[in-house]
Amino acid sequence: MQNALKAEIKRLASRAFKRAAKQARVEASHRRKFEKRTGVAAGLPTPSVTSHPHRHFDPRYCARNANFLAKTLWHKVLTYSYDPLCAAEHLLPKPDGSTRPVMAFSIPDAALANVVLRRTRDRNLKRLSPASFAYHPDKNVFDAVLSLREFAHDGRLFAVQIDFEKYFDLIPTRYIEAKLDDANEISLTPHEKHIFNRFLRHRSRLASDYATGPEKRRHKGTPQGSSVSLLLANLANDDLDTALSTEAGKFVRFADDVVALCSTYEQAQQLEACFHRHCDASGLKINEAKSPGIAIIANTQQEMRTYGHFDYLGYRFSTSGLSVTNKAARRIKSRVSRLTHIYLNQYLLAGFNTSRTSVTSPVYDWDLLGLIYELRNSLYGGLSEEELRSFVEGGRRLTSMKGLMGFYCLIDEPATMREIDGWMLSTVRRAMAHRNRRLGTLHGVSCPTPSNRQLATGEWLDVRAWRDDEPPPDARMPSLVRGWRAARKHYFTFGLEDVQAPDYNRYSDIGSLFDY
């Protein structure tokens, strides 16, 4: 165990070094782009003063002293004196304007949590419900979606969806501790049980005022930001899994997101009753405002509440198959709008390098070309138009399937993608017209103002503007539908082999899949 802790501390420290190096590269890249676009020298970067709330948060210190830290940590566990160092609490903004508290634990504490999670999870893997798909080493979002889609209903489809109120924040600690003490629920050594109990009641301070701020101790919920929260959150809903599995129909649970399907209203009532009984026993609360409850899934109005679809894990389920949710479409559009503004208009007030664009022969705009390549990289998960064409038309296998490309492969209905493609062309076209007006007003120059067709075909760029010693760029706007066609062919040809599924932190936030 001590050797495993030492290796994990070094791994986490190394990951912190890589993250810092990546951030430095990104900042240098932004400086270069600013200078190219504006012709103005970027200001000197603010000298970085690395500050850590405690030396155990410092990857350099932890990497140098990994052996000592692992030995000390394990001694505390063996003597039942272990208590995590006071965590740094970060308040992350949520779309509704509220914040989500996320704990940053010290590197040694995070290493201990990771090692203990892997050991306890692997030992108890067979005890987990087969309908629980989160935090499972052999299951992912795709497995959950496919399992739900496979439900064969008898003519009518009833869906039961219940949303728990602040699930991770409000799980009663006493309820989880009772589960940890129950050998029939989970197999733990006394030392592992001690570690879980200490994380359940860990100390924390706000990261913005860690040195002098007031210290508080957790008395409910699980510590989001620590890997032990994964197993504890699954354990808290294990009784719900057992109850739902005894009823007719089928259910899928991914962390706190549960959907149950059945064929009759009576069955749906029994499934719904399972949720209420579980909340009464556990102390969890149902979010009435966000819980659809029981509904018939149909294309025409029925005798009770009828929905044409239900949304789950970023996908829209309907009688015609899987499609993109409205929420996912909005987030994709938001990301496209942001990139469009950054590339085409954000820097114009600071200055402009007139060599970046020309409306006379040859016609070019390097900022527009950069935007197209950025969007293509995001929408296709790093693949090029040529790679998609070679696979769809010639069968040449794709080198990877990740990000939004991976998300595409299960989609059956591309109508929303077609709408986003058209919207994307119009948005970039309008942004170029606005860019042209601002360039004329601010700098007395012009830029191309291509039509939707010219953007779609790439005809807006005169390839003579490109260097002769390199192949000309592909100036076509990317297309979600083209990406979907390639992803679907890959899925039907190879299944989900080599398709990188989004992890738990990304599955419901499709906009974040651009980060792949």
Side-chain angles (χ1 to χ4, degrees), residues 344-345 348 352-369 371-372 425 427-440 445-452 454-455 458-463 465 475:
L344 301 183
N345 287 304
L348 298 186
F352 186 71
N353 184 348
T354 56
S355 67
R356 300 291 293 169
T357 184
S358 172
V359 293
T360 59
S361 183
V363 177
Y364 59 87
D365 190 311
W366 299 144
D367 292 333
L368 174 56
L369 187 64
L371 170 65
I372 290 172
L425 287 171
T427 296
V428 174
R429 172 181 55 78
R430 292 195 303 270
M432 287 301 293
H434 179 66
R435 173 181 170 86
N436 187 54
R437 290 192 296 271
R438 294 189 73 189
L439 281 173
V445 296
S446 301
C447 70
T449 53
S451 65
N452 283 8
Q454 290 172 323
L455 286 170
E459 294 174 358
W460 66 270
L461 175 66
D462 189 337
V463 295

Side-chain angles (χ1 to χ4, degrees), residues 382-401:
L383 298 173
S384 67
E385 294 283 3
E386 178 59 26
E387 286 177 302
L388 263 61
R389 186 197 65 79
S390 298
F391 175 64
V392 173
E393 298 179 5
R396 184 177 180 180
R397 190 161 183 174
L398 297 174
T399 56
S400 64
M401 280 277 287

Side-chain angles (χ1 to χ4, degrees), residues 266-316:
E266 290 74 18
Q267 293 171 354
Q269 286 181 306
Q270 292 298 320
L271 290 167
E272 186 180 45
C274 291
F275 287 92
H276 290 283
R277 287 195 297 269
H278 177 61
C279 287
D280 290 340
S282 65
L284 290 167
K285 296 180 180 180
I286 292 177
N287 189 332
E288 301 291 347
K290 294 184 178 180
S291 296
I294 300 175
I296 298 178
I297 307 301
N299 293 327
T300 57
Q301 182 64 40
Q302 305 294 310
E303 68 274 14
M304 59 172 290
R305 179 169 48 191
T306 305
Y307 294 144
H309 60 265
F310 66 89
D311 296 343
Y312 189 61
L313 301 181
Y315 292 87
R316 173 154 291 180

Side-chain angles (χ1 to χ4, degrees), residues 188-214:
L188 296 174
T189 68
H191 297 108
E192 290 168 346
K193 191 183 303 182
H194 169 72
I195 293 169
F196 281 120
N197 283 325
R198 298 323 299 161
F199 271 100
L200 276 172
R201 298 184 180 275
H202 72 88
R203 298 165 296 144
S204 66
R205 290 193 186 100
L206 282 175
S208 57
D209 193 21
Y210 189 90
T212 59

Side-chain angles (χ1 to χ4, degrees), residues 324-326 329-330 333 414-427 480-481:
V324 178
T325 66
N326 291 342
R330 287 195 299 271
K333 289 180 178 181
T416 303
M417 292 184 170
R418 289 196 182 93
E419 186 272 328
I420 295 175
D421 278 349
W423 171 89
M424 190 160 51
L425 287 171
S426 297
T427 296
L480 273 74
V481 173

Side-chain angles (χ1 to χ4, degrees), residues 151-158 249 261-265 267-268:
F151 176 67
H153 55 94
D154 186 16
R156 303 182 74 183
L157 178 62
F158 288 79
L261 303 178
C262 58
S263 299
T264 69
Y265 181 65
Q267 293 171 354

Side-chain angles (χ1 to χ4, degrees), residues 80-115:
Y80 297 99
S81 60
Y82 171 72
D83 192 33
L85 184 70
C86 190
E89 180 181 357
H90 298 268
L91 300 178
L92 304 185
K94 297 172 66 175
D96 60 3
S98 61
T99 58
R100 174 185 290 111
V102 174
M103 304 299 163
F105 287 86
S106 70
I107 291 176
D109 290 327
L112 178 63
N114 291 348
V115 172

